[in-house]
Amino acid sequence: DSGVTQTPKHLITATGQRVTLRCSPRSGDLSVYWYQQSLDQGLQFLIQYYNGEERAKGNILERFSAQQFPDLHSELNLSSLELGDSALYFCASSTRGGLDTQYFGPGTRLTVL
Amino acid sequence: GESVGLHLPTLSVQEGDNSIINCAYSNSASDYFIWYKQESGKGPQFIIDIRSNMDKRQGQRVTVLLNKTVKHLSLQIAATQPGDSAVYFCAESPAGRRALTFGSGTRLQVQP
């Protein structure tokens, strides 16, 4: 158990809908990262937050957004969902957000029908 | 459980043998490298990392080797056990960036 928690574990929804994925980092970690894992794209970095502020952005679609709250938990919002958004979404956290180890949560499996 | 990377390269070893998993990286500016293990239905689990000022680092039963000249990273697992069966990913991070760029993964199958 990495200490990173994610909810829900599974999510099934329809195209065009909007969902919110939640992540709680390890105790004491200030940085949160979101990754998407699909069969054809592998693990892809989406976005990073550090102490409430966006720090780095990767291959995140405009339909997706994220935020980190004062209590350091983070939410990833996915809107206007398409079939191709079906994937595993992982959250990782690290202490400071530099070259320190990222610890991953168990993931949320999103299925868009 | 779900399948991650149905068409991953697979390394099959006998229990007790040593395993070597290889990874080629592309960005010569990367200065931090890390290996993760992912079991079915779980998130990536940290194994070992190495910075570019080193060429070898050892952990418990694992060793990571870094060859910057040919941009190659390897993970050696000693006395491989059935519990080592998983998909193994290498990841890199270029200087000045924090996000990890993951390789495509290798599936390790340990035969009892």
Side-chain angles (χ1 to χ4, degrees), chain B residues 80-97:
Chain B
T80 314
Q81 302 167 0
D84 295 326
S85 293
V87 176
Y88 289 79
F89 292 97
C90 66
E92 60 180 297
S93 180
R97 287 196 65 208

Side-chain angles (χ1 to χ4, degrees), chain A residues 9 33 35 37 39 43-45 48 55-58 88 90 97-107 109, chain B residues 2-6 31-32 34 36 38 41-46 49 51 89 93-94 97-103:
Chain A
K9 188 171 176 60
Y33 307 76
Y35 291 84
Q37 186 175 40
L39 286 177
L43 268 159
Q44 300 267 319
F45 167 70
Q48 178 203 1
R55 175 66 67 89
K57 219 171 202 180
L88 280 162
F90 289 105
L99 290 183
D100 45 337
T101 303
Q102 295 179 31
Y103 293 91
F104 281 75
R109 169 163 285 284
Chain B
E2 74 286 347
S3 297
V4 174
L6 292 174
D31 63 354
Y32 176 68
I34 188 166
Y36 284 95
Q38 188 174 22
K42 297 184 179 180
Q45 175 188 351
F46 169 79
D49 59 3
R51 302 199 192 285
F89 292 97
S93 180
R97 287 196 65 208
R98 285 83 174 176
L100 295 172
T101 300
F102 281 82

Side-chain angles (χ1 to χ4, degrees), chain B residues 10-70:
Chain B
T10 298
L11 174 65
S12 187
V13 301
Q14 291 293 123
E15 181 179 358
D17 287 352
N18 296 333
S19 302
I20 300 176
I21 301 171
N22 296 305
C23 175
Y25 64 93
S26 56
N27 193 339
S28 56
S30 291
D31 63 354
Y32 176 68
F33 305 86
I34 188 166
W35 282 98
Y36 284 95
K37 169 187 179 183
Q38 188 174 22
E39 297 173 281
S40 182
K42 297 184 179 180
Q45 175 188 351
F46 169 79
I47 302 174
I48 192 167
D49 59 3
I50 189 168
R51 302 199 192 285
S52 60
N53 60 352
M54 303 172 69
D55 53 19
K56 180 178 180 179
R57 191 169 186 213
Q58 288 184 291
Q60 187 176 14
R61 277 201 312 121
V62 294
T63 300
V64 56
L65 298 177
L66 174 63
N67 186 330
K68 294 181 288 294
T69 302
V70 295

